Amino acid sequence: MSRILPADGVEFEFTVPVVVIGGGAAGMIAALAAHEQGAGVLVLERDALPQGSTALSAGLIPAPGTRWQRAAGIEDSPELFAADILGKAKGEPDPADAARVARAVGPALEWLADRYGLPVSLVDNFTYPGHGARRMHGLPSRSGSELIDRLRGAVEAAGIDVLCEAHVTALYADAASRVHGVEFARPDGSSERVGCSALVLACNGYGGNRELVGRHVPELADALYFGHPGNQGDALLWGEALGAASRHLSGHQGHGSVAHPAGILVTWATITEGGVQVNTEGRRFSNEEQGYSEQAAIVLRQPDGIAWTVFDDRIAAIARQFEDFRQAEAMGAVLTADDPAGLARLMKIDPDALAATLTEVERLKREGAADGFGRDFAGAPPLAAPYRAVRVTGALFHTQGGLVVDDDARVLDRQGRPLPNLHAAGGAACGVSGSKASGYLSGNGLLTAVALGRIAGQAAASAVREENDR
Ligand SMILES: Cc1cc2nc3c(=O)[nH]c(=O)nc-3n(C[C@H](O)[C@H](O)[C@H](O)COP(=O)(O)OP(=O)(O)OC[C@H]3O[C@@H](n4cnc5c(N)ncnc54)[C@H](O)[C@@H]3O)c2cc1C
């Protein structure tokens, strides 16, 4: 339920300068940034523990020109990163949107490390598709649950109030679309109202809302949704009702490598390091290297919507840095055999077909040639025994369309003017992936959560200051 109610004559139980809806990465970072600027902040989170999709993610954040890159001798810049973002999305996103987040994310990561002690490090042993430099950063476990736990710890240590089990159901706004406060439901069925001077929407996209997914992302209408179920599109619905512009609503991040039925993400390093995907007939069916996001719909078009990701021991060692992969191994989702025929038997597929597929892949690697799908195997190391395979399916991770924002993460109306006091960050805002799954560059999700989260928090705090000074 996401309503806009008239603010006229409404009495609020209490008032806080900056209210943030949503306690994922975007909300926590916005809260830290606003608090640091001296504003009183309240985070409202519908769950009993703030986690969001952030906790489900690998927690990997792309950032250019960081000190961690410099220490590893990697040259990179916001301009190169923005060019990669636009290249992946075929020029669809507004270049100003790409430049904004590419510029902001590196300093935001260093700020989180320096000021709040997040032990950030660079993923320096593989390159994600579409990234022209090794610029993915993460925490030691390479898991989003560590990211959200550490952000929550920082928010708590800063003394910022986070009210959990506070499901915001309505915004109170006036005729000029100024938000005066919000209403939230409590687990006992009661509801409360809090007034605010500025509101940050950090309640992500609409991946958890079947109806909105069916309308905007029909190719994944029946796909497994792998994100946080509480992300019901409230930001989009509220924003649109207030006259906000929205863009690229069909854009999304899918993933073509979710272990099935284990339901665990299998890192795409299994592919970029030289692995391949075959269907249940033992045949390859795509250029896997285009990216994991578009691969979701491609895998779902295979018999039974299933594929096998096939790789080897060397690649498994790289993948093991990820908590998810270790979990998949612990659950027995990663099969191992000394030769392709043995692997095929475990996979219960035709051994001759798998052997023929892998022989062809090895020939392409030896010759440094491209296949009929356009995948270039030049420089890819051969697969060697023992071989590994995981049964996977395609899933929707999160939506990338959303509310259009400006350089201060202020939500814009359909004429391009900022709404009076509304900001959006993370999945609530339009991302930088364009309108297609193939436009998603790895890390675009947390990119807007971290970069816009900080911008939104700072801007909301300064808007409050300006209002107080008037
Ligand atoms: C499996 C998986 C892996 C991923 N891996 C990566 C990765 O490695 N790198 C990357 O960049 N991105 C990744 N992503 C995407 C990334 O997780 C998201 O883009 C990012 O976490 C969005 O952050 P957020 O703060 O906007 O939303 P969230 O973290 O989802 O937080 C939104 C919060 O808002 C709350 N909320 C919603 N509605 C309301 C309401 N009405 N009232 C109160 N609270 C509300 C929700 O409960 C939730 O806690 C991944 C996603 C998935 C699903």
Coordinates of all heavy atoms in Angstrom, one line a residue, residues 79-166:
E79 N 36.1 9.1 -15.7 CA 35.7 9.2 -17.1 C 35.7 7.9 -17.8 O 34.8 7.5 -18.5 CB 36.7 10.2 -17.8 CG 36.6 11.6 -17.4 CD 37.2 11.9 -16.0 OE1 38.1 11.2 -15.5 OE2 36.7 12.8 -15.3
L80 N 36.8 7.0 -17.4 CA 36.8 5.7 -18.0 C 35.6 4.9 -17.5 O 35.0 4.1 -18.3 CB 38.1 5.0 -17.6 CG 39.4 5.5 -18.3 CD1 40.6 4.8 -17.8 CD2 39.3 5.2 -19.8
F81 N 35.3 5.0 -16.3 CA 34.2 4.2 -15.7 C 32.9 4.7 -16.4 O 32.1 3.8 -16.8 CB 34.2 4.4 -14.2 CG 33.1 3.6 -13.5 CD1 32.6 2.4 -14.0 CD2 32.7 4.1 -12.2 CE1 31.7 1.7 -13.3 CE2 31.7 3.3 -11.5 CZ 31.2 2.2 -12.1
A82 N 32.7 6.0 -16.5 CA 31.5 6.5 -17.1 C 31.4 6.0 -18.5 O 30.3 5.6 -19.0 CB 31.4 8.0 -17.0
A83 N 32.5 5.9 -19.2 CA 32.5 5.4 -20.6 C 32.1 3.9 -20.6 O 31.3 3.5 -21.5 CB 33.8 5.7 -21.2
D84 N 32.6 3.2 -19.7 CA 32.2 1.7 -19.6 C 30.7 1.6 -19.3 O 30.0 0.7 -19.9 CB 33.0 1.0 -18.5 CG 34.5 0.8 -18.9 OD1 34.8 1.0 -20.1 OD2 35.3 0.6 -18.0
I85 N 30.2 2.4 -18.4 CA 28.7 2.4 -18.1 C 27.9 2.6 -19.3 O 27.0 1.9 -19.7 CB 28.4 3.4 -17.0 CG1 29.0 3.0 -15.6 CG2 26.9 3.6 -16.8 CD1 28.9 4.1 -14.6
L86 N 28.3 3.7 -20.0 CA 27.5 4.1 -21.2 C 27.7 3.0 -22.3 O 26.8 2.7 -23.1 CB 28.0 5.5 -21.7 CG 27.6 6.6 -20.8 CD1 28.2 7.9 -21.2 CD2 26.1 6.7 -20.6
G87 N 28.9 2.5 -22.4 CA 29.2 1.5 -23.4 C 28.3 0.2 -23.2 O 27.7 -0.3 -24.2
K88 N 28.2 -0.2 -22.0 CA 27.4 -1.4 -21.7 C 26.0 -1.2 -22.0 O 25.3 -2.1 -22.5 CB 27.6 -1.8 -20.2 CG 27.0 -3.2 -19.8 CD 27.8 -4.3 -20.4 CE 27.3 -5.7 -19.9 NZ 26.2 -6.2 -20.5
A89 N 25.5 0.0 -21.7 CA 24.1 0.3 -21.9 C 23.8 1.0 -23.3 O 22.8 1.6 -23.5 CB 23.6 1.2 -20.8
K90 N 24.8 0.8 -24.2 CA 24.7 1.3 -25.5 C 24.2 2.8 -25.6 O 23.3 3.2 -26.3 CB 23.7 0.5 -26.3 CG 24.0 -1.0 -26.4 CD 24.8 -1.4 -27.6 CE 25.1 -2.8 -27.7 NZ 26.0 -3.4 -26.8
G91 N 24.8 3.6 -24.7 CA 24.5 5.0 -24.7 C 23.1 5.5 -24.2 O 22.8 6.6 -24.3
E92 N 22.4 4.5 -23.7 CA 21.0 4.9 -23.3 C 20.9 5.8 -22.1 O 20.1 6.7 -22.0 CB 20.2 3.6 -23.0 CG 19.4 3.1 -24.2 CD 18.4 2.1 -23.7 OE1 18.7 0.9 -23.4 OE2 17.2 2.5 -23.6
P93 N 21.7 5.5 -21.0 CA 21.6 6.4 -19.8 C 22.0 7.8 -20.2 O 22.8 8.1 -21.1 CB 22.5 5.8 -18.8 CG 22.9 4.5 -19.3 CD 22.7 4.5 -20.8
D94 N 21.5 8.8 -19.4 CA 21.9 10.2 -19.5 C 23.4 10.2 -19.1 O 23.7 9.8 -18.0 CB 21.0 11.0 -18.6 CG 21.3 12.5 -18.7 OD1 22.4 12.8 -19.2 OD2 20.4 13.3 -18.4
P95 N 24.2 10.8 -20.0 CA 25.7 10.8 -19.6 C 25.9 11.6 -18.3 O 26.8 11.2 -17.6 CB 26.3 11.6 -20.8 CG 25.4 11.4 -21.9 CD 24.0 11.3 -21.4
A96 N 25.0 12.5 -18.0 CA 25.2 13.3 -16.7 C 25.0 12.3 -15.5 O 25.6 12.4 -14.5 CB 24.2 14.4 -16.7
D97 N 24.0 11.4 -15.7 CA 23.7 10.4 -14.6 C 25.0 9.5 -14.4 O 25.4 9.3 -13.2 CB 22.5 9.6 -14.9 CG 21.2 10.4 -14.9 OD1 21.2 11.5 -14.4 OD2 20.2 9.8 -15.3
A98 N 25.5 9.1 -15.5 CA 26.7 8.2 -15.4 C 27.9 8.9 -14.8 O 28.6 8.4 -13.9 CB 27.0 7.6 -16.8
A99 N 28.1 10.1 -15.3 CA 29.3 10.9 -14.8 C 29.1 11.2 -13.3 O 30.1 11.1 -12.5 CB 29.4 12.2 -15.5
R100 N 27.9 11.5 -12.8 CA 27.6 11.8 -11.4 C 28.0 10.7 -10.5 O 28.8 10.8 -9.6 CB 26.1 12.1 -11.3 CG 25.7 12.5 -9.8 CD 24.2 12.6 -9.8 NE 23.7 13.5 -10.8 CZ 22.7 13.2 -11.6 NH1 22.1 12.1 -11.6 NH2 22.3 14.1 -12.5
V101 N 27.5 9.5 -10.8 CA 27.8 8.4 -9.9 C 29.3 7.9 -10.1 O 29.9 7.5 -9.1 CB 26.8 7.2 -10.1 CG1 25.4 7.6 -9.6 CG2 26.8 6.7 -11.5
A102 N 29.8 8.0 -11.3 CA 31.2 7.5 -11.5 C 32.2 8.4 -10.7 O 33.2 8.0 -10.2 CB 31.6 7.6 -13.0
R103 N 31.8 9.7 -10.6 CA 32.6 10.7 -9.9 C 32.5 10.5 -8.4 O 33.4 10.6 -7.6 CB 32.2 12.1 -10.2 CG 33.1 12.9 -11.0 CD 32.7 14.4 -11.1 NE 31.3 14.7 -10.8 CZ 30.3 14.9 -11.8 NH1 30.7 14.8 -13.0 NH2 29.1 15.2 -11.5
A104 N 31.3 10.2 -7.9 CA 31.0 10.2 -6.5 C 31.4 8.9 -5.8 O 31.7 8.9 -4.6 CB 29.5 10.5 -6.3
V105 N 31.4 7.8 -6.5 CA 31.5 6.5 -5.8 C 32.9 6.2 -5.1 O 33.0 5.7 -4.0 CB 31.1 5.3 -6.6 CG1 32.0 5.0 -7.8 CG2 30.8 4.1 -5.8
G106 N 34.0 6.7 -5.8 CA 35.3 6.4 -5.2 C 35.5 7.2 -3.9 O 35.8 6.6 -2.9
P107 N 35.3 8.5 -3.9 CA 35.3 9.3 -2.7 C 34.4 8.7 -1.6 O 34.7 8.7 -0.4 CB 34.9 10.7 -3.1 CG 35.3 10.8 -4.5 CD 35.1 9.4 -5.1
A108 N 33.2 8.2 -2.0 CA 32.3 7.7 -1.0 C 32.9 6.4 -0.3 O 32.7 6.2 0.9 CB 30.9 7.4 -1.7
L109 N 33.5 5.6 -1.2 CA 34.1 4.4 -0.6 C 35.2 4.7 0.4 O 35.4 4.1 1.5 CB 34.6 3.5 -1.7 CG 33.7 2.4 -2.2 CD1 34.5 1.4 -3.1 CD2 33.1 1.6 -1.1
E110 N 36.1 5.7 -0.1 CA 37.2 6.0 0.8 C 36.7 6.7 2.1 O 37.2 6.4 3.2 CB 38.1 7.0 0.1 CG 38.8 6.2 -1.1 CD 40.0 7.0 -1.7 OE1 40.3 8.1 -1.3 OE2 40.6 6.4 -2.7
W111 N 35.6 7.4 2.0 CA 34.9 8.0 3.2 C 34.4 6.9 4.1 O 34.6 7.0 5.3 CB 33.8 8.9 2.7 CG 32.8 9.4 3.7 CD1 32.9 10.2 4.7 CD2 31.4 9.0 3.7 NE1 31.7 10.4 5.3 CE2 30.8 9.6 4.7 CE3 30.6 8.1 2.9 CZ2 29.4 9.5 5.0 CZ3 29.3 7.9 3.2 CH2 28.7 8.6 4.2
L112 N 33.8 5.9 3.5 CA 33.3 4.8 4.4 C 34.4 4.1 5.1 O 34.3 3.6 6.2 CB 32.4 3.8 3.6 CG 31.1 4.4 3.1 CD1 30.4 3.4 2.1 CD2 30.1 4.6 4.3
A113 N 35.5 3.9 4.4 CA 36.7 3.2 5.0 C 37.3 4.1 6.1 O 37.6 3.6 7.2 CB 37.7 2.9 3.9
D114 N 37.5 5.4 5.7 CA 38.3 6.2 6.6 C 37.5 6.6 7.9 O 38.0 6.6 9.0 CB 38.7 7.5 5.9 CG 39.7 7.2 4.8 OD1 40.3 6.1 4.9 OD2 39.9 8.1 3.9
R115 N 36.2 7.0 7.6 CA 35.5 7.6 8.7 C 34.7 6.5 9.5 O 34.5 6.6 10.7 CB 34.5 8.5 8.1 CG 33.6 9.2 9.1 CD 33.7 10.7 9.0 NE 33.0 11.2 10.2 CZ 32.8 12.4 10.5 NH1 33.4 13.3 9.7 NH2 32.2 12.8 11.5
Y116 N 34.3 5.4 8.8 CA 33.5 4.4 9.5 C 34.2 3.0 9.6 O 33.6 2.1 10.0 CB 32.1 4.3 8.8 CG 31.4 5.7 8.9 CD1 31.3 6.5 7.8 CD2 30.9 6.1 10.2 CE1 30.7 7.8 8.0 CE2 30.3 7.4 10.3 CZ 30.2 8.2 9.2 OH 29.6 9.4 9.3
G117 N 35.4 3.0 9.2 CA 36.2 1.8 9.4 C 35.9 0.6 8.5 O 36.2 -0.5 8.9
L118 N 35.2 0.8 7.4 CA 34.9 -0.4 6.6 C 36.1 -0.9 5.9 O 36.8 -0.1 5.2 CB 33.8 0.0 5.5 CG 32.4 -0.3 5.9 CD1 31.9 0.7 7.0 CD2 31.4 -0.1 4.7
P119 N 36.5 -2.2 6.2 CA 37.7 -2.7 5.6 C 37.6 -3.1 4.1 O 37.5 -4.2 3.8 CB 38.0 -4.0 6.5 CG 36.6 -4.4 6.9 CD 35.7 -3.2 7.0
V120 N 37.6 -2.0 3.3 CA 37.4 -2.2 1.9 C 38.7 -2.7 1.2 O 39.8 -2.3 1.6 CB 37.1 -0.9 1.2 CG1 36.9 -0.9 -0.3 CG2 35.8 -0.3 1.9
S121 N 38.6 -3.6 0.3 CA 39.7 -4.1 -0.6 C 39.3 -4.2 -2.0 O 38.1 -4.3 -2.3 CB 40.4 -5.3 0.0 OG 39.4 -6.4 -0.1
L122 N 40.3 -4.3 -2.9 CA 40.0 -4.4 -4.3 C 40.0 -5.9 -4.7 O 40.8 -6.7 -4.2 CB 41.2 -3.7 -5.0 CG 41.1 -3.7 -6.6 CD1 40.0 -2.7 -7.0 CD2 42.4 -3.2 -7.1
V123 N 39.0 -6.2 -5.5 CA 39.0 -7.6 -6.2 C 40.0 -7.5 -7.3 O 39.7 -6.9 -8.4 CB 37.6 -8.0 -6.7 CG1 37.6 -9.3 -7.4 CG2 36.6 -7.9 -5.6
D124 N 41.2 -8.0 -7.1 CA 42.3 -7.8 -8.1 C 42.6 -9.0 -8.9 O 43.6 -9.0 -9.7 CB 43.5 -7.2 -7.4 CG 44.1 -8.1 -6.3 OD1 43.5 -9.2 -6.2 OD2 45.1 -7.8 -5.7
N125 N 41.8 -10.1 -8.7 CA 42.2 -11.3 -9.5 C 41.3 -11.6 -10.6 O 41.4 -12.7 -11.2 CB 42.4 -12.5 -8.5 CG 41.2 -12.8 -7.7 OD1 40.2 -12.0 -7.7 ND2 41.3 -13.8 -6.9
F126 N 40.3 -10.8 -10.9 CA 39.6 -11.0 -12.2 C 38.8 -9.7 -12.5 O 38.5 -8.9 -11.7 CB 38.7 -12.2 -12.2 CG 37.5 -12.2 -11.3 CD1 36.3 -11.7 -11.7 CD2 37.6 -12.8 -10.0 CE1 35.2 -11.7 -10.8 CE2 36.5 -12.8 -9.2 CZ 35.3 -12.2 -9.6
T127 N 38.5 -9.6 -13.8 CA 37.9 -8.4 -14.4 C 36.4 -8.8 -14.7 O 36.2 -9.8 -15.4 CB 38.6 -8.0 -15.6 OG1 40.0 -7.9 -15.3 CG2 38.1 -6.6 -16.1
Y128 N 35.5 -8.0 -14.3 CA 34.1 -8.2 -14.7 C 33.8 -7.8 -16.1 O 34.4 -6.8 -16.6 CB 33.2 -7.4 -13.7 CG 33.0 -8.2 -12.4 CD1 34.0 -8.1 -11.4 CD2 31.9 -9.0 -12.2 CE1 33.8 -8.8 -10.2 CE2 31.8 -9.7 -11.0 CZ 32.7 -9.6 -10.0 OH 32.6 -10.3 -8.8
P129 N 32.9 -8.5 -16.8 CA 32.6 -8.1 -18.2 C 32.2 -6.7 -18.3 O 31.4 -6.2 -17.5 CB 31.4 -9.0 -18.6 CG 31.2 -10.0 -17.4 CD 32.0 -9.5 -16.3
G130 N 32.8 -6.0 -19.3 CA 32.4 -4.6 -19.6 C 33.2 -3.6 -18.8 O 33.1 -2.4 -19.1
H131 N 34.0 -4.0 -17.8 CA 34.8 -3.1 -17.0 C 36.2 -3.0 -17.7 O 36.9 -4.0 -17.8 CB 34.9 -3.5 -15.6 CG 33.7 -3.2 -14.8 ND1 33.4 -1.9 -14.3 CD2 32.7 -4.0 -14.4 CE1 32.3 -1.9 -13.6 NE2 31.8 -3.2 -13.6
G132 N 36.6 -1.8 -18.0 CA 37.9 -1.7 -18.6 C 39.1 -1.7 -17.6 O 40.2 -1.6 -18.0
A133 N 38.8 -1.8 -16.3 CA 39.8 -1.8 -15.3 C 39.3 -2.7 -14.2 O 38.1 -2.8 -14.0 CB 40.2 -0.4 -14.8
R134 N 40.2 -3.2 -13.4 CA 39.8 -4.0 -12.2 C 39.4 -2.9 -11.1 O 40.3 -2.3 -10.5 CB 40.9 -4.9 -11.7 CG 41.1 -6.0 -12.7 CD 42.0 -7.1 -12.3 NE 41.8 -8.2 -13.3 CZ 42.5 -9.3 -13.4 NH1 43.4 -9.5 -12.4 NH2 42.3 -10.2 -14.3
R135 N 38.1 -2.7 -10.9 CA 37.7 -1.6 -10.1 C 36.6 -2.1 -9.1 O 35.9 -1.2 -8.5 CB 37.2 -0.4 -10.9 CG 36.0 -0.7 -11.8 CD 35.4 0.5 -12.4 NE 36.2 1.2 -13.4 CZ 36.0 1.1 -14.7 NH1 35.0 0.4 -15.2 NH2 36.8 1.8 -15.6
M136 N 36.4 -3.4 -9.0 CA 35.4 -3.9 -8.0 C 36.0 -3.9 -6.6 O 37.1 -4.5 -6.5 CB 34.9 -5.2 -8.5 CG 33.5 -5.5 -8.1 SD 32.3 -4.4 -8.8 CE 31.8 -5.2 -10.3
H137 N 35.3 -3.4 -5.7 CA 35.8 -3.4 -4.3 C 34.7 -4.1 -3.4 O 33.5 -4.1 -3.7 CB 35.9 -1.9 -3.8 CG 36.9 -1.1 -4.5 ND1 36.7 -0.7 -5.8 CD2 38.1 -0.6 -4.2 CE1 37.7 0.1 -6.2 NE2 38.6 0.1 -5.2
G138 N 35.3 -4.7 -2.3 CA 34.3 -5.4 -1.4 C 34.9 -5.5 0.0 O 36.1 -5.0 0.2
L139 N 34.2 -6.1 0.9 CA 34.7 -6.3 2.2 C 35.3 -7.7 2.3 O 35.1 -8.5 1.3 CB 33.5 -6.1 3.2 CG 32.9 -4.7 3.2 CD1 31.7 -4.6 4.1 CD2 34.0 -3.7 3.6
P140 N 35.9 -8.1 3.4 CA 36.7 -9.3 3.4 C 35.9 -10.5 3.0 O 36.4 -11.4 2.2 CB 37.1 -9.4 4.9 CG 37.2 -8.0 5.3 CD 36.1 -7.3 4.6
S141 N 34.6 -10.7 3.4 CA 33.9 -11.9 3.0 C 33.3 -11.8 1.6 O 32.7 -12.8 1.2 CB 32.7 -12.1 4.0 OG 31.8 -11.1 3.9
R142 N 33.4 -10.6 1.0 CA 32.8 -10.4 -0.3 C 31.3 -10.7 -0.3 O 30.8 -11.4 -1.2 CB 33.5 -11.3 -1.4 CG 35.0 -11.1 -1.5 CD 35.3 -9.8 -2.1 NE 36.7 -9.7 -2.5 CZ 37.6 -8.7 -1.9 NH1 37.1 -7.9 -1.0 NH2 38.8 -8.6 -2.3
S143 N 30.7 -10.3 0.8 CA 29.2 -10.6 0.9 C 28.5 -9.3 1.3 O 29.0 -8.5 2.1 CB 29.0 -11.7 2.0 OG 29.1 -11.1 3.3
G144 N 27.3 -9.2 0.8 CA 26.5 -8.0 1.1 C 26.0 -8.0 2.6 O 25.7 -7.0 3.1
S145 N 25.9 -9.2 3.2 CA 25.5 -9.2 4.6 C 26.5 -8.6 5.5 O 26.2 -7.8 6.4 CB 25.2 -10.6 5.1 OG 26.2 -11.5 4.9
E146 N 27.8 -8.7 5.1 CA 28.8 -8.0 5.9 C 28.7 -6.5 5.6 O 28.9 -5.7 6.6 CB 30.3 -8.5 5.5 CG 31.3 -7.8 6.3 CD 32.7 -8.3 6.0 OE1 33.0 -9.1 5.1 OE2 33.6 -7.8 6.8
L147 N 28.4 -6.2 4.4 CA 28.3 -4.7 4.1 C 27.2 -4.1 4.9 O 27.4 -3.1 5.5 CB 28.0 -4.6 2.6 CG 27.8 -3.1 2.1 CD1 29.0 -2.2 2.3 CD2 27.4 -3.1 0.6
I148 N 26.0 -4.7 4.9 CA 24.9 -4.1 5.6 C 25.1 -4.1 7.1 O 24.8 -3.2 7.8 CB 23.5 -4.7 5.2 CG1 22.4 -3.8 5.6 CG2 23.3 -6.1 5.7 CD1 22.4 -2.4 5.0
D149 N 25.7 -5.2 7.6 CA 26.0 -5.3 9.1 C 27.0 -4.2 9.5 O 26.8 -3.5 10.5 CB 26.6 -6.6 9.4 CG 25.6 -7.7 9.4 OD1 24.4 -7.4 9.3 OD2 26.0 -8.9 9.5
R150 N 28.0 -3.9 8.7 CA 29.0 -2.9 9.0 C 28.3 -1.5 8.9 O 28.6 -0.6 9.7 CB 30.2 -3.0 8.2 CG 31.1 -4.2 8.6 CD 32.4 -4.2 7.9 NE 33.2 -5.4 8.2 CZ 34.1 -5.5 9.1 NH1 34.3 -4.5 9.9 NH2 34.8 -6.6 9.3
L151 N 27.5 -1.3 7.9 CA 26.8 0.0 7.8 C 25.9 0.2 8.9 O 25.8 1.3 9.5 CB 26.1 0.1 6.4 CG 26.9 0.2 5.2 CD1 26.1 0.1 3.9 CD2 27.7 1.5 5.2
R152 N 25.2 -0.8 9.3 CA 24.3 -0.7 10.4 C 25.0 -0.4 11.7 O 24.7 0.5 12.5 CB 23.4 -2.0 10.6 CG 22.3 -1.8 11.5 CD 21.4 -3.1 11.7 NE 22.2 -4.2 12.1 CZ 22.4 -5.3 11.4 NH1 21.9 -5.4 10.2 NH2 23.1 -6.3 11.9
G153 N 26.2 -1.0 11.9 CA 27.0 -0.8 13.0 C 27.5 0.7 13.1 O 27.5 1.3 14.1
A154 N 27.8 1.2 11.9 CA 28.3 2.6 11.8 C 27.1 3.5 12.2 O 27.3 4.5 12.9 CB 28.8 2.9 10.4
V155 N 26.0 3.2 11.7 CA 24.8 4.1 12.0 C 24.5 4.1 13.4 O 24.2 5.1 14.1 CB 23.6 3.6 11.1 CG1 22.3 4.2 11.6 CG2 23.8 4.0 9.6
E156 N 24.5 2.9 14.0 CA 24.2 2.8 15.5 C 25.3 3.5 16.3 O 25.0 4.3 17.2 CB 24.2 1.3 15.9 CG 22.9 0.6 15.5 CD 22.9 -0.9 15.6 OE1 24.0 -1.5 16.1 OE2 22.0 -1.5 15.1
A157 N 26.6 3.3 15.9 CA 27.7 4.0 16.6 C 27.5 5.5 16.5 O 27.9 6.2 17.4 CB 29.0 3.5 16.1
A158 N 27.0 6.0 15.4 CA 26.8 7.4 15.2 C 25.6 8.0 16.0 O 25.4 9.2 16.1 CB 26.7 7.8 13.8
G159 N 24.8 7.0 16.6 CA 23.7 7.4 17.4 C 22.5 7.8 16.5 O 21.5 8.5 17.0
I160 N 22.4 7.3 15.3 CA 21.3 7.6 14.4 C 20.1 6.7 14.7 O 20.4 5.5 14.9 CB 21.7 7.5 12.9 CG1 22.8 8.5 12.6 CG2 20.5 7.7 12.0 CD1 23.5 8.3 11.3
D161 N 18.9 7.2 14.8 CA 17.8 6.3 15.1 C 17.4 5.5 13.9 O 17.1 6.1 12.8 CB 16.6 7.2 15.6 CG 16.8 7.7 17.0 OD1 17.5 7.0 17.8 OD2 16.4 8.9 17.2
V162 N 17.2 4.2 14.1 CA 16.7 3.3 13.0 C 15.5 2.6 13.6 O 15.6 1.9 14.6 CB 17.7 2.3 12.6 CG1 17.1 1.4 11.5 CG2 19.0 2.9 12.1
L163 N 14.3 2.9 13.1 CA 13.1 2.3 13.6 C 12.7 1.1 12.7 O 12.4 1.3 11.5 CB 12.0 3.3 13.6 CG 10.8 3.0 14.5 CD1 11.2 2.7 15.9 CD2 9.7 4.1 14.4
C164 N 12.8 -0.1 13.3 CA 12.5 -1.2 12.5 C 11.0 -1.6 12.7 O 10.4 -1.1 13.6 CB 13.4 -2.4 12.9 SG 15.1 -2.1 12.4
E165 N 10.6 -2.5 11.9 CA 9.1 -2.9 11.9 C 8.3 -1.6 11.7 O 7.3 -1.5 12.4 CB 8.8 -3.7 13.1 CG 9.6 -5.0 13.2 CD 9.2 -5.9 14.3 OE1 9.1 -5.4 15.4 OE2 8.9 -7.1 14.0
A166 N 8.8 -0.8 10.9 CA 8.0 0.5 10.6 C 7.8 0.6 9.1 O 8.7 1.0 8.3 CB 8.9 1.7 11.1

